[in-house]
Amino acid sequence: MKQNQNLDSRRWLVLVASCLTNLCIGSLYAWSVFASPLAAKLGGGLTAASLGIVFTVANCVGPITMISGGFINDRLGPRWVIFAGGVLFGCGMLFSGLVSSVPLLLVTYGLGCGLGNGLAYGCTISNSVKFFPDKRGLIGGIATATFGLSSVLIPPIANALIQASGVSQAFIILGIVFLVIVCVCSMFITKCPEGYCPKGYIPPKPAGNQKGVEDKNWKGMLSDPIFYVMIAMMMCGAFSGLMITSQASPMAQEIAGMTVTAAATTVSVLALFNAGGRILAGFLSDRFGRVTVLIGAFILELVGLGILLTTKSGASGQFIAGVSVMGICFGSLMGVYPGFTADKFGTKYNSVNYGIMFIGFALAGYFGPLAVRSMLASTGAYTGAFYIAGVLACLGIVLAFVYRAMSKKKA
């Protein structure tokens, strides 16, 4: 009992340290602020859009270390996994300031930051959710929100550093700062004991004839058809968010005719609504259900895409409104899914299971930016990419109802 009381207090320190870690590694999604000055520095006809391949690689490799780090986390705890993630991420950022070619950027930022991000993010999220079975959705939302909040804080800081001393120096300074913060925070993060329940919390009993949640390992999860519906929903929802996140600054300049500084501010606005959407959706999903919130997010996504599609040059306010709506939708998806995965497959193996589920995010991270680059190259406009995102949002709604039907059938 005394051990549980200590853990009841300790879990808040674990959450704070996890959130600070996510605040650092979430800077991966401030890429669009670095893209244009990097293209100018490297020359050779490179553009911000063509450098998007670096961001795509960083997105795609994350699940590799989320899954492998999840196995280590389940056995030894998250501390050294997060420490290793901090070293990889910080050094990846630092060395990105020392290289002068796209292939080397693919190694430093793409692989270094991407793999480091996956190691740290997977452990902070799954471990935090385990510590708070009484408010799983809200904590998942808060832990992922600080990850998204990084893109509010980092763009203006990075932009100021770039203006003052160049993009290379900005990478070096930020890399050192992130390396120190994450490695220190990892020392305050402990593993959640199996079966932990905070004082006063009584796990809800299954209603009616429903069965309780079974802890399934990765093999059990992959053998369950409902997993494939869930991962497809994640890919559909994350597609538009990652598509816009990767090119938010260039989009603002080209679609709405905004200045570089104003476009950087728009990236922060997008990230702010992204972070807010994670907390709000996590909170609401604890009360109204994960799938209900996801359906609402998909519907709202269609509204946001409609706003962006009708934005004309000079209509900065409309563009910002559209981006804000898209940020809420993207944030809702990311805030709900940690708890959603634990609800369906149990918390015992959630570190690995969530890492596998995150492959849907990685696929979206590949195809979303690819759609933007392809449409921009072939048509000179973003319109086609927005239509593709709209179709996937509609598919996401359909899949949500398929999930409900399959869940009722299994109950």
Side-chain angles (χ1 to χ4, degrees), residues 142-158:
I142 291 173
T144 59
T146 49
F147 184 85
L149 191 62
S150 177
S151 297
V152 179
L153 302 176
I154 299 305
I157 295 171

Side-chain angles (χ1 to χ4, degrees), residues 21-30 55 57-67 69 81-93 108-125 147-148 150-151 178 182 278 334 354 358 361:
T21 296
N22 288 342
L23 198 62
C24 293
I25 63 174
S27 61
L28 185 78
Y29 294 93
F55 179 75
V57 169
N59 261 299
C60 290
V61 300
I64 296 172
T65 42
M66 281 187 72
I67 296 168
V81 180
I82 294 170
F83 183 90
V87 171
L88 260 177
F89 188 88
C91 289
M93 186 77 75
T108 57
Y109 196 93
L111 293 179
C113 292
L115 292 172
N117 182 286
L119 274 176
Y121 182 75
C123 288
T124 56
I125 300 301
F147 184 85
S150 177
S151 297
F178 296 153
V182 176
R278 295 176 190 225
M334 301 312 297
Y354 185 58
F358 213 72
F361 181 90

Side-chain angles (χ1 to χ4, degrees), residues 28-39 47-52 55 151 154-156 158-160 162-163 240-271 308 311 316 319-320 323-324 372 376 382 386:
L28 185 78
Y29 294 93
W31 167 257
S32 61
V33 175
F34 296 105
S36 293
L38 265 177
T47 63
S50 63
L51 278 178
F55 179 75
S151 297
I154 299 305
N159 197 48
I162 291 167
Q163 296 299 323
S240 61
L242 290 168
M243 176 185 78
I244 292 171
T245 298
S246 68
Q247 295 294 319
S249 183
M251 276 184 184
Q253 295 171 57
E254 293 175 34
I255 295 176
M258 299 170 73
T259 65
V260 174
T261 302
T265 302
T266 301
V267 175
S268 293
V269 171
L270 168 64
L308 292 176
T311 300
S316 300
F319 182 84
I320 291 173
V323 162
S324 300
V372 171
L376 200 56
Y382 294 100
F386 290 151

Side-chain angles (χ1 to χ4, degrees), residues 277-354:
R278 295 176 190 225
I279 297 173
L280 179 63
F283 173 78
L284 293 175
S285 71
D286 280 337
R287 283 152 180 76
F288 303 109
R290 318 293 183 207
V291 179
T292 299
V293 172
L294 288 174
I295 291 172
F298 281 124
I299 293 171
L300 197 59
E301 183 181 325
L302 292 171
V303 174
L305 288 168
I307 294 172
L308 292 176
L309 274 167
T310 56
T311 300
K312 306 295 182 185
S313 182
S316 300
Q318 183 176 341
F319 182 84
I320 291 173
V323 162
S324 300
V325 172
M326 296 305 294
I328 292 173
C329 300
F330 184 41
S332 297
L333 179 91
M334 301 312 297
V336 166
Y337 254 83
F340 191 25
T341 306
D343 287 348
K344 200 65 192 175
F345 305 110
T347 59
K348 184 175 181 179
Y349 305 104
N350 198 46
S351 299
V352 176
N353 290 346
Y354 185 58

Side-chain angles (χ1 to χ4, degrees), residues 37-266:
L38 265 177
K41 173 196 168 186
L42 298 177
L46 287 172
T47 63
S50 63
L51 278 178
I53 184 63
V54 178
F55 179 75
T56 299
V57 169
N59 261 299
C60 290
V61 300
I64 296 172
T65 42
M66 281 187 72
I67 296 168
S68 57
F71 279 111
I72 299 171
N73 178 34
D74 285 341
R75 288 159 179 76
L76 304 177
R79 177 172 297 164
W80 294 111
V81 180
I82 294 170
F83 183 90
V87 171
L88 260 177
F89 188 88
C91 289
M93 186 77 75
L94 191 159
F95 286 114
S96 293
L98 301 175
V99 301
S100 55
S101 69
V102 175
L104 288 175
L105 268 175
L106 288 170
V107 174
T108 57
Y109 196 93
L111 293 179
C113 292
L115 292 172
N117 182 286
L119 274 176
Y121 182 75
C123 288
T124 56
I125 300 301
S126 61
N127 195 57
S128 295
V129 168
K130 289 177 182 178
F131 263 114
F132 291 86
D134 49 334
K135 38 180 80 73
R136 194 174 287 162
L138 176 61
I139 296 303
I142 291 173
T144 59
T146 49
F147 184 85
L149 191 62
S150 177
S151 297
V152 179
L153 302 176
I154 299 305
I157 295 171
N159 197 48
L161 289 171
I162 291 167
Q163 296 299 323
S165 52
V167 66
S168 296
Q169 197 65 22
F171 271 130
I172 292 170
I173 293 170
L174 291 173
I176 293 171
V177 171
F178 296 153
L179 174 65
V180 172
I181 293 176
V182 176
C183 290
V184 170
C185 284
S186 69
M187 297 297 106
F188 294 93
I189 298 175
T190 56
K191 182 180 180 180
C192 180
E194 188 175 336
Y196 164 72
C197 279
K199 183 180 179 181
Y201 173 68
I202 302 174
K205 294 181 180 179
N209 295 322
Q210 291 184 337
K211 300 176 182 178
V213 177
E214 178 187 353
D215 283 310
K216 292 186 177 181
N217 62 15
W218 66 275
K219 292 179 182 178
M221 183 178 74
L222 293 180
S223 67
D224 191 335
I226 211 163
F227 160 76
Y228 299 95
V229 176
M230 291 172 67
I231 196 171
M233 284 170 61
M234 173 175 262
M235 187 177 71
C236 289
F239 180 93
S240 61
L242 290 168
M243 176 185 78
I244 292 171
T245 298
S246 68
Q247 295 294 319
S249 183
M251 276 184 184
Q253 295 171 57
E254 293 175 34
I255 295 176
M258 299 170 73
T259 65
V260 174
T261 302
T265 302
T266 301

